[in-house]
Amino acid sequence: MKVPRVVIGMSGGVDSAVSAFLLKQKGFDVVGLHMINWDSQEEGSSTCPRSKDEADARNVCDRLNIPFHTVNFVKEYWNDVFLKFLENYKIGRTTVPDIDCNYSIKFDAFHKVAQEKFDADFIATGHYATTSFGDFQQNRKHSEAIRLFSGRDPLKDQTFFLCTVTQEQLKRAMFPLGSLQKSEVKRIAEQQGFDRVVKKPESMGICFIGKKKRFSDFLDEYIEPKPGRIVLKDGQQIGKHHGIHQFTIGKRIHGKYLNERSHFGFFVSEIRSDTGDVVACDGSHHPELYATRFLINRPNWISSSDPLEEISPSKILCRIQRTHPPVPCKVEKSEHYLSVEPKIPLRATAPGQMCVFYTDENECLGGGEILKIEKTL
């Protein structure tokens, strides 16, 4: 019987290193494949340490005695992820490039290369998530739909970023770390002598910005300045800015933009792309920052059917940020969109973000993009 071949995405970090080790330990025919998604020339010396990541990924594969290859997705990433990110920020929308990267690159382009060039039976990544088919597809049944569940480590769970994956993609995916805590992953890495990756800092934030740049400075390199006003909800002007791309809902407004002061500080409550106005409110817990109803587009459901037709409304939860726990919500459907009312008002809900749905049993159902905030406290 042929040993299943698993192509594992090797990032150069500890999670993919331990994933590769676990796959090898399980007896799979493992091939390491490192993705190059960002052109290091684009950012000079301040970009992600691509060459170091590639070297670290190669080192792990050498230690495990598994083949190592690279694949270049710079063009695909630029066109399908980065340009969308920029276009949204130009109009004051807060998108999540990690979700777009999973949708266009890691679970689409990468899967195709793994299957067509390396004859993969399964494709693995170091995401903290699990499925009804098991971390190693040991429970798979061809006639059944596959379901996505939160990883065992609630602090590292990455199902939020996987909300757009399809049945077909999930059925060939493996998440070897799904049942592990991060501390266990690090311990395995230390035991296996993966010293180069176990001591690396966690990759946080958006990769293409690099470690030495402020987010606002990075955006200024790609988006032309377009001056506008900073106003209160009643229209009173309290400052000026040089581009709405510098602002996201819920963030404090730097004093350099303001000609008025507040004891509690001014925070962004709305961005009006049509006029270029940034609307401010006084204080980080102002009622205008807490959404009680918002509209989203028709979600991408992981199931082939609409789970809202099959699951009791009392069991549906939503989250708008990965670091926040899901909260109960009321969902109403119309022809083109869904109206979502969280039972607990959600701070800094912004157009462009994803609203990801779960059940009370930690199943990730899918998600839809937030279009408009309809009501605040």
Side-chain angles (χ1 to χ4, degrees), residues 354-365:
M354 289 293 282
C355 173
V356 181
F357 294 99
Y358 293 80
T359 69
D360 57 0
E361 296 178 340
N362 293 322
E363 180 179 359
C364 179
L365 302 173

Side-chain angles (χ1 to χ4, degrees), residues 224-228 241-245 273 276:
E224 289 288 325
K226 194 173 180 181
H241 65 80
H242 62 266
I244 59 175
H245 63 274
S273 59

Side-chain angles (χ1 to χ4, degrees), residues 91-325:
I91 57 173
R93 290 168 56 82
T94 307
T95 57
V96 186
D98 286 4
I99 293 177
D100 293 324
C101 181
N102 284 331
Y103 178 78
S104 299
I105 309 297
K106 292 181 181 176
F107 287 82
D108 185 24
F110 185 75
H111 276 217
K112 288 173 182 172
V113 169
Q115 289 180 300
E116 295 169 7
K117 189 172 180 180
F118 297 99
D119 197 26
D121 296 297
F122 300 103
I123 299 98
T125 57
H127 287 97
Y128 286 82
T130 190
T131 75
S132 55
F133 283 15
D135 299 342
F136 300 94
Q137 291 274 349
Q138 69 272 21
N139 303 320
R140 69 184 181 279
K141 295 179 181 176
H142 296 291
S143 60
E144 284 189 9
I146 188 169
R147 299 160 68 192
L148 179 66
F149 290 91
S150 299
R152 180 165 160 247
D153 189 331
L155 295 178
K156 297 300 297 182
D157 171 51
Q158 290 171 299
T159 51
F160 183 87
F161 300 127
L162 299 173
C163 64
T164 57
V165 295
T166 65
Q167 281 287 303
E168 184 182 3
Q169 291 165 342
L170 267 187
K171 283 187 174 183
R172 58 179 179 252
M174 283 188 183
F175 303 118
L177 307 185
S179 299
L180 296 177
Q181 300 275 357
K182 180 72 175 192
S183 57
E184 295 174 282
V185 171
K186 286 189 171 181
R187 188 177 71 248
I188 293 170
E190 289 168 352
Q191 290 170 347
Q192 297 307 310
F194 297 152
D195 298 332
R196 286 174 61 160
V197 297
V198 77
K199 294 173 183 175
K200 285 174 79 169
E202 289 278 317
S203 58
M204 304 294 283
I206 302 170
C207 172
F208 51 71
I209 293 174
K211 292 179 167 53
K212 299 178 182 177
K213 290 196 174 183
R214 286 171 37 181
F215 185 63
S216 57
D217 294 338
F218 175 84
L219 288 176
D220 278 345
E221 293 182 10
Y222 291 93
I223 299 176
E224 289 288 325
K226 194 173 180 181
R229 305 185 307 158
I230 299 173
V231 300
L232 298 177
K233 198 166 187 177
D234 63 8
Q236 177 191 346
Q237 182 172 341
I238 60 171
K240 296 178 181 178
H241 65 80
H242 62 266
I244 59 175
H245 63 274
Q246 291 282 359
F247 300 89
T248 55
I249 290 176
K251 293 294 177 68
R252 186 170 187 145
I253 301 174
H254 196 286
K256 68 181 180 181
Y257 296 114
L258 302 168
N259 50 35
E260 291 203 17
R261 294 289 178 265
S262 160
H263 178 70
F264 299 106
F266 286 107
F267 291 76
V268 179
S269 63
E270 185 184 352
I271 299 171
R272 296 172 179 167
S273 59
D274 54 342
T275 63
D277 287 348
V278 171
V279 182
C281 60
D282 191 357
S284 63
H285 296 293
H286 193 282
E288 289 173 17
L289 295 175
Y290 289 85
T292 56
R293 186 170 69 234
F294 51 89
L295 299 182
I296 69 170
N297 62 8
R298 280 284 180 173
N300 170 85
W301 297 122
I302 292 170
S303 168
S304 54
S305 57
D306 185 345
L308 298 180
E309 303 284 353
E310 303 166 358
I311 298 172
S312 168
S314 64
K315 295 182 180 293
I316 301 289
L317 299 91
C318 71
R319 73 187 337 166
I320 60 166
Q321 294 184 34
R322 184 193 74 83
T323 54
H324 295 176

